[in-house]
């Protein structure tokens, strides 16, 4: 069954997330980001930052759960058991720091069919406590078509 195209252009209520020092350190360690700016406040401040800096891919920690609310909506019609991740991007307006309180708004930018596969692109706009833009993420998922002859 094709995805519900009426989801394109819709957005979902904001979710708030407080970026913590320890979460940044844990994430940086997990991905092998060993630059001291991701682990040590003094090193980050010596490098001109106001606090420890989150690695560029850190926003997945809070943007994916926000996106998942839409992915899991039965009205969308996406069978997550058949999903593969096609693409991901992060556009930073400014670094994400320990202590930031950010708000994420999820939108569906595109839904299309590609050789019988459902392709959906999500955008998450992230702002800080003052409403200033921090970053935008985009993720494209592919819901693989059922193999021929299966039902």
């Amino acid at each position: 069954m094709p995805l519900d195209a009426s989801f394109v252009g819709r957005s979902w209520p904001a979710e708030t997330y407080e970026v913590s020092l320890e979460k940044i350190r844990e994430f940086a360690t997990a991905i092998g980001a060993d630059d001291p700016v991701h682990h040590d406040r003094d090193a980050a401040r010596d490098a001109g930052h106001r606090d420890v800096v989150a690695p560029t891919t850190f926003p997945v920690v809070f943007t994916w759960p926000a996106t998942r609310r839409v992915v899991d909506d039965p009205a969308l019609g996406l069978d997550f058991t058949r999903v593969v991740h096609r693409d991901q991007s992060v556009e930073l307006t400014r670094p994400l720091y320990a202590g930031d309180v950010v708000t994420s708004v999820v939108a569906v930018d595109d839904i299309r069919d590609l050789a019988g596969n459902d392709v959906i692109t999500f955008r998450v706009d992230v702002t800080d406590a003052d409403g200033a833009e921090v970053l935008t993420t985009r993720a494209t998922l592919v819901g693989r078509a059922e193999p021929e002859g299966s039902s």
Side-chain angles (χ1 to χ4, degrees):
M1 175 168 90
L3 299 181
D4 183 346
S6 74
F7 275 61
V8 175
R10 289 174 50 191
S11 61
W12 282 260
E15 290 196 359
T16 302
Y17 180 83
E18 186 170 346
V19 180
S20 78
L21 172 63
E22 285 310 312
K23 285 286 186 182
I24 290 173
R25 287 175 173 160
E26 289 170 2
F27 186 86
T29 298
I31 66 168
D34 57 4
D35 187 319
V37 301
H38 303 308
H39 300 272
D40 181 86
R41 281 196 164 118
D42 291 334
R45 289 177 178 145
D46 288 348
H49 299 286
R50 71 168 193 246
D51 209 320
V52 170
V53 181
T56 305
T57 54
F58 179 84
V60 74
V61 168
F62 57 89
T63 61
W64 177 241
T67 303
R68 197 60 203 256
R69 291 184 11 235
V70 183
V71 167
D72 291 340
D73 185 334
L76 176 61
L78 184 64
D79 178 358
F80 197 72
T81 66
R82 302 197 55 74
V83 167
V84 293
H85 191 234
R86 180 179 179 186
D87 188 48
Q88 182 81 38
S89 67
V90 178
E91 295 174 33
L92 292 172
T93 303
R94 67 156 176 87
L96 191 60
Y97 295 108
D100 278 339
V101 176
V102 293
T103 302
S104 301
V105 176
V106 179
V108 174
D109 276 356
D110 188 40
I111 292 176
R112 58 192 162 96
D113 177 86
L114 181 63
N117 299 297
D118 293 316
V119 180
I120 184 166
T121 301
F122 296 93
R123 183 186 77 251
V124 183
D125 295 314
V126 178
T127 55
D128 65 18
D130 295 324
E133 183 179 317
V134 177
L135 61 98
T136 298
T137 67
R138 286 184 178 76
T140 301
L141 304 177
V142 178
R144 296 171 296 142
E146 291 283 335
E148 285 191 37
S150 67
S151 350

